[in-house]
Amino acid sequence: MELYRAHVLVCAGAGCISSGCQAVKSALEESIDRLGLKREVKVVETGCMGPCDLGPVIVVYPEGVFYRQLKPADAVEIAEEHLLKGRVVERLLYKAPENGKTAVTSDQIDFFKKQTRIALRNTGIINPESVEEYIARDGYRALGKVLTTMTPQEVIECIKKSGLRGRGGAGFPTGLKWEFSAKAPGKPRYVVCNADEGDPGAFMDRSILEGDPHSVLEAMAICGYAIGSNQGYVYVRAEYPLAVQRLSLAIEKAREYGLLGENIFGTGFSFDVEIRVGAGAFVCGEETALLASIEGRRGEPRPRPPFPAQEGLWGKPTVINNVETWANIPPIILKGPEWFASIGTEKSKGTKVFALAGKVNNTGLVEVPMGTTLREIIFDIGGGIPGGKQFKAAQTGGPSGGCIPARYLDVPVDYESLTRLGAIMGSGGLIIMDEDTCMVDLARFFLEFVQDESCGKCSPCRIGTKRMLEIVERITRGEGRDGDIELLEELGHGIKSSALCGLGQTAPNPVLSTIRHFRDEYEAHIYHKKCPAGVCRALMVYAIDEEKCNGCGRCALVCPAGAVYGEKKKPHRIDLEKCLRCGTCMEKCKFGAIYTI
């Protein structure tokens, strides 16, 4: 085994790849080679480290020095100064957005030090294409333990005692699901990984597959042993090519090492995994639609019961969990159910991974114990709201979720608390909004998404969401009517109680939760024809401040409707009858003389 003086971890998650990390890595390796450090310094390409807005990022060990937003030229400087001369390049270190304080190492950065990483324990640390590095981090030890020291029922009891609940949305107890499948009549039984992550802004499962694929394979094999299954499938969308590539390589390596396939560890237990690539339909995140797609049929949900645990893939008992749920299994086996159950709240155990996005300083992947408050996630880990703006709301659960207003910032984030607020945990999308966000327009956006993605099988979802979208669009155009709010509520509750699948039943949530917490904004749009956040263009009225306007005429030149008029070097005016409310005049005014009412 070769020993190195330093290791340089280069984040190669999808975000950093799109930011140019491969060019940074190449520059780093070329510099290390040129400086004669190749035998002393090893460059390791890892999965996502988490802080996507800071990419490309690297961490230099053993010190753990964290560099961010690098260019190839920066990598050359790091090689020459840090790796050769031992001098940290201070200008490339992280600076906290709220106070400008410099952090040298990653454990000095709030974004990292306030997280508890279980599902993300290996992402950003190991090379996901190396099974040896996974094994070095206790990889496949949990599988070895269950195959050599535990009975299948003991494995199920362990998962039940841990309190782990499915991280894909519904939060059903994982151990109970396994037990149902193990006891269900019929063979063969199947194990399925749901990696069809379709929520806008969510990339938790994608990052785990890209950064730690073996953890999912190991967990599926453990489940296979527990329920008596020899075959697993990972259903992943084609939009995740890097995840598919690394997962394919992981399966190949695991087979090569005898960790998948026939007679694993010489115990007589056999289990293998195949990949099924989906076309990216949102509805295939629903478990029965996903199973139909694996079978080669159109991805449409079916009524339940029977549930997949009893009659799933090809009518046989099937356990289906999402990627994050699987990633929690090996640590539970190794550290015990009591350890896992000691984290989180009374009914929501363990941690939850969130994709933190929107109007927040630190975006990216964060993993926190269940019960952590929104305030801690947004302000302590996320670094607060940019530009001194006020926090307005957080949207959890993607298109099926709801919006939580600022007055609930200190509510603990767990399954029960979010449900009481009209939101859901969902798969972990967490979008932050500031004072400039129009909640009616936000509801329109998510409603438009679910309308587009509705499979159309049941009329409550297909037609009901269409009617709701028409009403909300009308409201944002300034054509709202008395009674629209009540009609939206009636339609929303009707869809929730009658739609065929979970996605349809939760489709009205963004509208219902924004009406519940921001009813005054709907009323302002409908009765006063105003958008308080100044987002809905049809409701915006542009005006010119005569004291600031010097009559340069630039606004008149760019106005496509000829609505701006006035003499040269004298304050201009806007003809509201002609104004298209496009905002071009305000964008082009260098003197801040144009504003909205």
Side-chain angles (χ1 to χ4, degrees), residues 339-350:
W339 161 78
F340 190 81
S342 69
I343 303 168
T345 64
E346 182 183 354
K347 293 183 178 178
S348 300
K349 306 296 187 185

Side-chain angles (χ1 to χ4, degrees), residues 100-358:
K101 188 177 178 182
T102 299
V104 178
T105 60
S106 55
D107 58 9
Q108 294 174 348
I109 301 172
D110 286 346
F111 181 86
F112 291 105
K113 70 183 182 184
K114 297 195 174 184
Q115 295 190 46
T116 301
R117 294 195 161 205
I118 298 176
L120 298 178
R121 63 193 177 281
N122 290 328
T123 58
I125 294 177
I126 65 170
N127 178 354
E129 298 187 358
S130 168
V131 65
E132 293 85 357
E133 292 197 17
Y134 180 69
I135 291 172
R137 296 270 297 175
D138 284 339
Y140 290 103
R141 194 157 73 86
L143 177 59
K145 180 180 176 181
V146 302
L147 294 185
T148 57
T149 67
M150 298 173 73
T151 66
Q153 187 56 40
E154 285 174 338
V155 177
I156 291 174
E157 287 302 320
C158 175
I159 302 302
K160 285 171 66 179
K161 285 181 184 174
S162 73
L164 175 65
R165 296 167 63 174
R167 301 302 197 237
F172 191 81
T174 303
L176 205 54
K177 182 185 287 187
W178 291 20
E179 187 171 58
F180 287 157
S181 276
K183 291 181 177 178
K187 287 188 176 179
R189 299 189 176 98
Y190 295 104
V191 177
V192 173
C193 173
N194 182 348
D196 193 62
E197 185 178 48
D199 293 0
F203 52 97
M204 301 78 59
D205 291 352
R206 171 184 191 161
S207 295
I208 292 173
L209 279 184
E210 290 176 353
D212 192 18
H214 285 284
S215 67
V216 175
L217 300 178
E218 182 181 10
M220 292 177 69
I222 290 170
C223 178
Y225 172 72
I227 70 167
S229 168
N230 302 116
Q231 182 63 53
Y233 293 94
V234 178
Y235 186 88
V236 56
R237 52 180 46 214
E239 296 164 359
Y240 289 179
L242 185 61
V244 174
Q245 175 196 322
R246 288 180 176 168
L247 185 65
S248 301
L249 182 62
I251 292 173
E252 183 184 320
K253 287 290 181 183
R255 286 173 181 161
E256 186 180 319
Y257 275 63
L259 301 167
L260 285 178
E262 300 291 329
N263 194 24
I264 298 172
F265 290 134
T267 60
F269 171 67
S270 300
F271 188 81
D272 209 346
V273 176
E274 294 180 20
I275 298 174
R276 292 290 184 269
V277 178
F282 180 63
V283 71
C284 285
E286 199 278 336
E287 59 183 12
T288 60
L290 183 151
L291 295 177
S293 183
I294 290 179
E295 293 172 1
R297 297 184 289 116
R298 182 173 179 169
E300 287 182 333
R302 63 163 172 79
R304 299 175 303 173
F307 291 94
Q310 283 92 31
E311 292 184 28
L313 206 53
W314 292 292
K316 304 298 182 184
T318 302
V319 165
I320 177 168
N321 287 127
N322 81 326
V323 173
E324 184 185 344
T325 310
W326 290 122
N328 277 289
I329 299 296
I332 291 173
I333 296 294
L334 290 178
K335 296 184 178 181
E338 297 81 8
W339 161 78
F340 190 81
S342 69
I343 303 168
T345 64
E346 182 183 354
K347 293 183 178 178
S348 300
K349 306 296 187 185
T351 58
K352 182 72 192 79
V353 181
F354 291 100
L356 191 60

Side-chain angles (χ1 to χ4, degrees), residues 384-407:
I385 311 302
K389 300 277 187 177
Q390 294 295 310
F391 167 73
K392 186 171 187 177
Q395 208 273 352
T396 65
S400 302
C403 294
I404 303 171
R407 62 180 178 275

